[in-house]
Amino acid sequence: MERREEQLGAAGAGAAPALDFTVENVEKALHQLYYDPNIDNKNLAQKWLMQAQVSPQAWHFSWQLLQPDKVPEIQYFGASALHIKISRYWSDIPTDQYESLKAQLFTQITRFASGSKIVLTRLCVALASLALSMMPDAWPCAVADMVRLFQAEDSPVDSQGRCLALLELLTVLPEEFQTSRLPQYRKGLVRTSLAVECGTVFPLLEQLLQQPSSPSCVRQKVLKCFSSWVQLEVPLQDCEALIQAAFAALQDSELFDSSVEAIVNAISQPDAQRYVNTLLKLIPLVLGLQEQLRQAVQNGDMETSHGICRIAVALGENHSRALLDQVEHWQSFLALVNMIMFCTGIPGHYPVNETTSSLTLTFWYTLQDDILSFEAEKQAVYQQVYRPVYFQLVDVLLHKAQFPSDEEYGFWSSDEKEQFRIYRVDISDTLMYVYEMLGAELLSNLYDKLGRLLTSSEEPYSWQHTEALLYGFQSIAETIDVNYSDVVPGLIGLIPRISISNVQLADTVMFTIGALSEWLADHPVMINSVLPLVLHALGNPELSVSSVSTLKKICRECKYDLPPYAANIVAVSQDVLMKQIHKTSQCMWLMQALGFLLSALQVEEILKNLHSLISPYIQQLEKLAEEIPNPSNKLAIVHILGLLSNLFTTLDVSHHEDDHEGPELRKLPVPQGPNPVVVVLQQVFQLIQKVLSKWLNDAQVVEAVCAIFEKSVKTLLDDFAPMVPQLCEMLGRMYSTVPQASALDLTRQLVHIFAHEPAHFPPIEALFLLVTSVTLSLFQQGPRDHPDIVDSFMQLLAQALKRKPDLFLCERLDVKAVFQCAVLALKFPEAPTVKASCGFFTELLPRCGEIESVGKVVQEDGRMLLIAVLEPPEHVDQGGSAATWFSICPSQP
């Protein structure tokens, strides 16, 4: 034994530094790890112990740590160290030591069969790793040998202990295979060998599971072992007997969870669909669980109902195509589908009273896809059978989507409410998908139900029922084109009749109107039926998201039909903005909505509305510009600038088509006169400069200022031209004083839109040269603290080459310094910066022939670029001192 340990200890002696990894020191470190209150000491101990586990000395101390007088924590570490040595350093073990190592592990497992279970499991994992490394050549009958050794009658351990130890070993063997580091070619050989070993394992498991004398703990272990082995893609027909035994074990509450896991794992194997006859035999077994399922639901036993549902869904979802193909068995599969329908509609509110129904939703997608994938004739037959099922599904889903009573909902936790919200989104997605199967008839069905509900005088209707039906409409209308539906006019007519006495119902009414905004654009006569509801809801902070987003959709889709309502919309919006009813993000959406609205008016009307809308904010900004900077007035400034920015994002009087992109598709000039946005910007330009003078060091304020102009440029394109000279001048001053990435991004937009136009080239060129010079100086000082600036600078350079390469012809541009700075940017750890630098070189390198200075630099410094590209990331200097970062970049003149 000592000779074997010496040989194993000598194997791989250079694997770790020669630290003092003795038994005593390991025990001290473990005590420190478990019991020292100081977290730093714990971390040091853990690091030392990890080194100990991979050291050559681990072969010595591991066995000693397993001695009976040690506590389980120490024994566990010893077993874990053995597993690590065997699994990671197998090649270090001499071949003549395999058998003795195997024998010693068997001895330890036998001893721990009546000891600590966690230590037993780690030893079993170690032996499993050894078996996988030896199979199939060095240990061809590994599993048979394991069974034989643990069945030996001369063992000091009682038969139940030996049986449980054997089952633990057999359970971890496939699990260890799944996570093993075996080379790919070895994995294939071992998988084949394990598949053969099923012939030894499965009969043993069947015997133990069906044996009346087997105690519950043994049978539970058998089911877990079976569950582990089926994941090796064992042929389903070879599992029949064990699957049937697992179904029988579902009646035993102690075995229920293990049985469910085993059955689901067996059914869910990808290869299982090949064994159609076995699948057909499983359907009656699953249907036989319906009474147990009903009893569980009736008794509020969520675990049992959940488990049975998992089994039914596993069979239906994984094999619906294979089972649909068996036309002669259509009734039994339909019965399975109806059982899953029962699970979908299980009583109670998700997730408080039940958590089962959500498991079934994917099944309905799968079944529909499989039905619609058949050829026309077969599809027609199945459509006839399953369309009624899917109409029933819609009713079930809408019932499950209903909110509980106000009183009950008030007791739900925020987490439960969020889970319910996500569940309703999943139901919404399912309804949208089901529309493909049911078509326009689905909308008619929902409309008829809602109409009867709202017009019936026989009994009062619950708001929950109304809300659910509207939610169904909304789910479909959000993604499906309902413009040609003949029920939408009736729905629009019904909406004002809804008695809204609840926030959830009001929210859904708003979202439904928003989902129908495209339809309203085609039927503008109906706008007046719903617009008052939306404007009224704007004043309710609880409806903030739904009302503002709906108004934005209406203003975007119906803007050309809204001029008669414009004054009212602006007045209501201005009122809620002044009262600060909404949060910042909703205020921004509201400004975008107003931008869409104003775009359709005459210039005089736009200017008049703009004056009333933004004058209060301009006055407030003038006051703030006089104050000493502090966190409070900073928030107010950023908020006001954000409002203006979002307004100008959508205020587009030239009505340029959104899908027409590219510089060649220019907007036509506005015939009525100057662009209103430009007029306003020119009026507030001095004020903005005044704000900047005090806040130039604050990146958030600078970014908010740049956003106003950047969004205006993107929206107005050529119409922004009158602002170009003064904006270029302001940007130059800003960037020279305090370089900010947002200023570079705005410069890039100006280059993109205006650099090609001769009238605007001089100020654009001057700005480009200035920001380049400043940025190169920044590189000289050390750019590692400014990855955002480097990223934006690289994007600006790439845009300049793409839109106006003449910018690189200027003698004042140090192309060599630009090239070398871009090489440095390639070495940044931030992926976006590296990507931007690559984008620059992608534009630069093809221009070596047309731009002499570029060709010269690439000729001289191209090797530097090649080295930077090929250099592994871990060699990058992330310290970023000025000397390091600018050692190859010359000073600017």
Side-chain angles (χ1 to χ4, degrees):
M1 179 66 195
E2 285 181 3
R3 185 181 67 82
R4 181 178 64 78
E5 288 181 351
E6 285 170 8
Q7 285 183 297
L8 290 174
L19 299 176
D20 197 10
F21 296 125
T22 64
V23 175
E24 295 75 16
N25 287 341
V26 170
E27 289 192 43
K28 286 178 185 176
L30 285 167
H31 188 275
Q32 189 171 318
L33 178 66
Y34 283 111
Y35 303 112
D36 195 316
N38 187 306
I39 189 66
D40 292 331
N41 291 342
K42 283 179 179 289
N43 291 336
L44 283 172
Q46 184 178 30
K47 186 176 180 181
W48 188 89
L49 288 166
M50 288 172 70
Q51 291 178 297
Q53 281 187 315
V54 299
S55 69
Q57 293 92 326
W59 289 115
H60 297 283
F61 65 66
S62 294
W63 303 106
Q64 297 175 53
L65 295 177
L66 290 167
Q67 294 302 312
D69 60 332
K70 307 295 183 186
V71 294
E73 291 90 342
I74 290 174
Q75 294 170 332
Y76 179 85
F77 182 81
S80 294
L82 283 172
H83 171 241
I84 288 173
K85 295 298 289 182
I86 292 168
S87 61
R88 297 187 191 176
Y89 302 99
W90 176 254
S91 59
D92 294 345
I93 304 173
T95 53
D96 62 347
Q97 297 301 309
Y98 290 174
E99 290 302 320
S100 58
L101 180 57
K102 183 204 307 180
Q104 181 66 0
L105 282 170
F106 269 120
T107 301
Q108 292 292 344
I109 289 171
T110 302
R111 187 162 66 78
F112 277 93
S114 54
S116 169
K117 297 306 175 192
I118 59 168
V119 180
L120 171 65
T121 299
R122 293 314 295 168
L123 288 168
C124 288
V125 171
L127 181 56
S129 183
L130 180 137
L132 294 173
S133 297
M134 293 177 67
M135 292 169 71
D137 298 331
W139 196 0
C141 303
V143 175
D145 288 351
M146 292 173 187
V147 173
R148 179 177 50 78
L149 281 165
F150 279 98
Q151 286 179 333
E153 295 294 336
D154 57 351
S155 172
V157 182
D158 63 86
S159 59
Q160 182 175 314
R162 281 184 282 122
C163 183
L164 288 171
L166 172 61
L167 289 171
E168 182 66 25
L169 179 56
L170 294 177
T171 300
V172 301
L173 185 61
E175 294 171 353
E176 181 67 9
F177 171 76
Q178 302 286 8
T179 58
S180 67
R181 301 184 178 192
L182 294 171
Q184 202 58 41
Y185 79 95
R186 287 270 304 132
K187 271 213 162 188
L189 291 172
V190 174
R191 182 186 288 279
T192 303
S193 182
L194 287 172
V196 173
E197 298 283 16
C198 283
T200 301
V201 176
F202 282 13
L204 172 66
L205 298 183
E206 289 170 29
Q207 179 188 348
L208 290 171
L209 198 56
Q210 295 168 355
Q211 202 169 278
S213 60
S214 292
S216 182
C217 60
V218 170
R219 299 173 76 199
Q220 192 169 67
K221 202 70 192 167
V222 166
L223 289 165
K224 288 181 178 177
C225 184
F226 172 51
S227 185
S228 177
W229 276 81
V230 294
Q231 294 182 65
L232 292 174
E233 298 179 18
V234 179
L236 191 64
Q237 62 189 17
D238 295 349
C239 306
E240 268 190 49
L242 276 169
I243 292 174
Q244 290 178 2
F247 268 99
L250 287 168
Q251 304 304 318
D252 187 332
S253 59
E254 291 185 12
L255 304 178
F256 182 83
D257 290 343
S258 301
S259 301
V260 169
E261 209 62 42
I263 294 167
V264 168
N265 284 340
I267 292 173
S268 302
Q269 290 307 305
D271 200 42
Q273 59 187 344
R274 292 172 49 203
Y275 305 97
V276 177
N277 288 335
T278 303
L279 291 173
L280 290 171
K281 291 177 186 176
L282 294 179
I283 293 179
L285 294 175
V286 176
L287 295 176
L289 300 174
Q290 289 182 96
E291 183 55 37
Q292 187 179 359
L293 174 62
R294 288 192 183 91
Q295 287 293 325
V297 171
Q298 190 175 332
N299 298 331
D301 184 353
M302 290 170 64
E303 289 186 9
T304 299
S305 58
H306 195 85
I308 293 174
C309 175
R310 282 186 63 201
I311 293 170
V313 169
L315 182 57
E317 190 175 310
N318 288 291
H319 308 296
S320 64
R321 176 69 195 224
L323 294 171
L324 282 168
D325 272 328
Q326 311 309 306
V327 180
E328 64 277 17
H329 296 280
W330 70 271
Q331 288 176 308
S332 63
F333 183 61
L334 181 59
L336 176 65
V337 171
N338 286 326
M339 182 178 176
I340 296 173
M341 180 75 77
F342 177 83
C343 294
T344 303
I346 203 161
H349 288 288
Y350 182 96
V352 175
N353 311 116
E354 62 92 7
T355 55
T356 298
S357 58
S358 61
L359 299 176
T360 66
L361 298 181
T362 309
F363 164 75
W364 299 109
Y365 287 78
T366 306
L367 177 61
Q368 179 175 311
D369 283 346
D370 289 335
I371 290 171
L372 297 180
S373 69
F374 285 121
E375 65 279 4
E377 187 177 342
K378 196 171 184 179
Q379 185 184 135
V381 172
Y382 275 122
Q383 283 258 23
Q384 192 174 354
V385 173
Y386 283 99
R387 275 178 67 86
V389 173
Y390 273 86
F391 274 114
Q392 182 189 352
L393 173 66
V394 171
D395 290 341
V396 168
L397 290 176
L398 292 178
H399 180 74
K400 294 297 295 181
Q402 287 186 24
F403 281 89
S405 68
D406 294 337
E407 184 181 2
E408 185 181 345
Y409 193 64
F411 285 108
W412 284 20
S413 68
S414 57
D415 184 54
E416 288 167 341
K417 289 178 180 177
E418 176 61 12
Q419 287 185 57
F420 182 59
R421 185 194 66 79
I422 294 169
Y423 175 67
R424 277 170 52 96
V425 171
D426 293 338
I427 286 177
S428 175
D429 292 342
T430 309
L431 289 171
M432 177 270 295
Y433 206 75
V434 166
Y435 183 85
E436 187 180 354
M437 168 83 86
L438 302 180
E441 194 179 342
L442 172 56
L443 290 176
S444 299
N445 184 282
L446 293 175
Y447 173 68
D448 290 343
K449 285 186 169 67
L450 184 62
R452 286 197 299 270
L453 192 68
L454 295 178
T455 57
S456 173
S457 57
E458 295 178 7
E459 56 184 65
Y461 61 85
S462 69
W463 71 263
Q464 288 93 340
H465 196 176
T466 307
E467 190 277 336
L469 287 168
L470 277 177
Y471 187 69
F473 261 111
Q474 174 204 327
S475 303
I476 296 163
E478 276 181 337
T479 48
I480 306 295
D481 182 5
V482 296
N483 283 8
Y484 302 104
S485 170
D486 56 359
V487 303
V488 176
L491 173 63
I492 295 288
L494 284 174
I495 286 176
R497 301 185 59 165
I498 297 171
S499 176
I500 301 176
S501 57
N502 178 277
V503 170
Q504 286 86 11
L505 175 56
D507 257 336
T508 303
V509 168
M510 287 299 107
F511 284 127
T512 304
I513 295 171
L516 296 171
S517 57
E518 288 186 32
W519 184 92
L520 288 169
D522 290 337
H523 305 82
V525 71
M526 303 298 289
I527 292 174
N528 197 39
S529 299
V530 293
L531 186 58
L533 291 173
V534 179
L535 296 179
H536 178 72
L538 277 181
N540 186 343
E542 292 185 296
L543 303 178
S544 182
V545 172
S546 61
S547 62
V548 174
S549 66
T550 296
L551 181 63
K552 180 182 169 183
K553 286 181 179 179
I554 291 174
C555 289
R556 184 182 64 213
E557 302 298 335
C558 311
K559 60 184 175 185
Y560 301 118
D561 302 296
L562 291 180
Y565 314 103
N568 193 20
I569 294 172
V570 171
V572 173
S573 301
Q574 192 168 0
D575 183 55
V576 298
L577 285 168
M578 288 293 106
K579 290 178 179 176
Q580 299 182 339
I581 287 175
H582 303 293
K583 292 181 180 177
T584 299
S585 55
Q586 278 72 58
C587 291
M588 302 305 160
W589 293 357
L590 191 49
M591 278 301 203
Q592 290 178 22
L594 293 173
F596 286 124
L597 173 71
L598 297 180
S599 299
L601 304 182
Q602 294 298 313
V603 170
E604 297 78 12
E605 284 294 309
I606 295 173
L607 289 171
K608 188 172 78 172
N609 280 288
L610 280 177
H611 182 266
S612 67
L613 183 63
I614 67 176
S615 288
Y617 296 110
I618 300 302
Q619 292 167 11
Q620 189 181 353
L621 194 60
E622 287 173 342
K623 183 182 175 185
L624 291 166
E626 301 293 339
E627 296 178 4
I628 298 171
N630 64 68
S632 175
N633 56 28
K634 172 189 167 178
L635 287 176
I637 288 171
V638 170
H639 180 74
I640 293 171
L641 294 174
L643 291 175
L644 296 175
S645 175
N646 279 274
L647 177 64
F648 297 156
T649 299
T650 55
L651 180 44
D652 180 12
V653 294
S654 57
H655 315 307
H656 188 55
E657 292 296 328
D658 293 339
D659 55 343
H660 287 188
E661 296 177 0
E664 66 283 356
L665 293 165
R666 290 296 180 199
K667 298 188 176 188
L668 297 172
V670 182
Q672 309 98 303
N675 190 291
V677 173
V678 174
V679 172
V680 173
L681 285 176
Q682 287 175 330
Q683 290 173 354
V684 300
F685 196 80
Q686 295 300 322
L687 175 58
I688 289 174
Q689 285 186 307
K690 188 173 183 180
V691 171
L692 269 178
S693 67
K694 290 193 174 182
W695 291 92
L696 203 50
N697 287 302
D698 190 290
Q700 199 174 353
V701 174
V702 171
E703 189 175 330
V705 167
C706 290
I708 290 179
F709 294 104
E710 186 177 0
K711 290 180 178 180
S712 300
V713 169
K714 285 181 178 178
T715 305
L716 302 180
L717 298 180
D718 286 342
D719 294 346
F720 189 83
M723 295 289 300
V724 171
Q726 59 194 124
L727 181 57
C728 286
E729 185 183 346
M730 186 185 84
L731 275 174
R733 288 201 304 270
M734 280 170 52
Y735 198 75
S736 298
T737 309
V738 181
Q740 304 269 17
S742 52
L744 290 173
D745 295 334
L746 179 51
T747 303
R748 176 162 53 88
Q749 284 299 323
L750 292 174
V751 168
H752 176 66
I753 305 297
F754 296 106
H756 73 291
E757 297 181 6
H760 299 301
F761 183 72
I764 296 284
E765 182 187 39
L767 175 61
F768 176 75
L769 293 172
L770 177 61
V771 297
T772 301
S773 175
V774 172
T775 309
L776 293 178
S777 298
L778 193 68
F779 267 86
Q780 196 169 13
Q781 298 161 20
R784 273 302 297 118
D785 295 333
H786 308 284
D788 56 335
I789 292 178
V790 177
D791 183 350
S792 295
F793 181 55
M794 291 297 118
Q795 291 187 56
L796 169 61
L797 294 173
Q799 186 68 261
L801 284 165
K802 188 185 297 184
R803 296 290 293 127
K804 192 66 174 175
D806 290 2
L807 288 166
F808 273 71
L809 294 174
C810 180
E811 293 181 0
R812 286 179 291 157
L813 181 68
D814 191 340
V815 178
K816 188 180 184 72
V818 167
F819 182 92
Q820 293 175 337
C821 289
V823 171
L824 285 175
L826 281 174
K827 301 181 180 183
F828 273 48
E830 291 84 4
T833 306
V834 175
K835 182 180 178 182
S837 180
C838 291
F840 163 66
F841 282 116
T842 303
E843 294 294 333
L844 181 82
L845 296 176
R847 303 189 186 275
C848 291
E850 62 184 271
I851 304 176
E852 184 182 349
S853 58
V854 170
K856 183 180 178 183
V857 168
V858 172
Q859 184 71 29
E860 294 174 356
D861 295 337
R863 188 170 181 272
M864 181 195 304
L865 172 62
L866 186 62
I867 292 170
V869 170
L870 297 177
E871 187 177 52
E874 59 266 27
H875 293 164
V876 175
D877 174 15
Q878 297 187 16
S881 67
T884 303
W885 285 107
F886 218 77
S887 59
I888 61 168
C889 201
S891 300
Q892 295 305 300

